[in-house]
Amino acid sequence: MTERGEATRERGEATRERTKVLDPAVGRALSALSAAAKKGLGEPALAELVMIRASQLNHCAFCLDMHLALARKNGESEDRLQLLDAWEEAEDLYSGRERAALALTEAVTVLTEGFVPDEVYARAAEHFDDVRLAHLIALVTAINGWNRVMVSRRIPPGGYAP
């Protein structure tokens, strides 16, 4: 045990000494959900923006590191990536479809009102047919699951290798 670990434990704070183990069956299930949702959405660039935005909201450094790298690899611009956290104010950088997907991502991720507001859902439904909307919601659900698995174990960034 480190001195830091003992000091934080005395104050009742959590340490970073948490399991790094993820049951392979759980990893495969989350990966399968993510892959099916991403494929069904059919827009890899939008999928990465959605996963980055949810990861920002959930403070998942590992997932941010991974999905920023994937977005860059797929040609996403630095301006759009840097301003994603302020997408509502940088509306000229994002299409109406992207803004609808990002609003839905935030609503599903945060669930501030205990549900997704009807106006947010309706705006997304204007831009996505039922099948793609279902895949978008599944993608947001999947990345939120991954975020929680990684954040709860405090997995640091830098471990992703494409």
Side-chain angles (χ1 to χ4, degrees):
M1 170 124 10
T2 65
E3 287 180 30
R4 167 85 176 126
E6 288 177 15
T8 58
R9 205 168 271 134
E10 287 172 13
R11 292 191 310 257
E13 295 176 18
T15 68
R16 288 203 172 256
E17 298 170 20
R18 299 189 183 195
T19 183
K20 303 296 186 243
V21 175
L22 177 62
D23 183 283
V26 172
R28 285 191 301 273
L30 281 170
S31 292
L33 175 58
S34 299
K38 192 172 182 179
K39 181 179 179 183
L41 181 60
E43 299 178 53
L46 178 59
E48 292 305 327
L49 290 177
V50 162
M51 291 186 286
I52 292 165
R53 185 64 192 126
S55 298
Q56 288 172 333
L57 293 167
N58 290 319
H59 308 283
C60 185
F62 180 90
C63 294
L64 276 168
D65 184 52
M66 179 172 98
H67 291 291
L68 285 165
L70 289 170
R72 288 181 180 110
K73 182 179 176 185
N74 290 324
E76 188 59 73
S77 78
E78 283 301 315
D79 285 346
R80 286 168 42 97
L81 293 175
Q82 290 173 9
L83 291 172
L84 186 57
D85 194 31
W87 64 270
E88 290 176 298
E89 288 76 31
E91 65 183 59
D92 290 345
L93 290 178
Y94 306 97
S95 70
R97 183 176 176 89
E98 290 168 332
R99 290 194 316 274
L102 293 169
L104 184 64
T105 299
E106 291 183 2
V108 171
T109 299
V110 178
L111 291 175
T112 303
E113 299 176 33
F115 55 88
V116 173
D118 291 342
E119 59 274 7
V120 173
Y121 189 91
R123 185 166 30 140
E126 291 173 9
H127 292 276
F128 298 90
D129 65 27
D130 286 346
V131 173
R132 299 244 169 147
L133 185 55
H135 282 96
L136 176 58
I137 292 168
L139 184 65
V140 175
T141 301
I143 191 60
N144 274 285
W146 275 117
N147 290 165
R148 283 153 175 78
V149 165
M150 302 311 263
V151 168
S152 64
R153 297 179 305 141
R154 295 191 179 175
I155 304 298
Y160 171 73

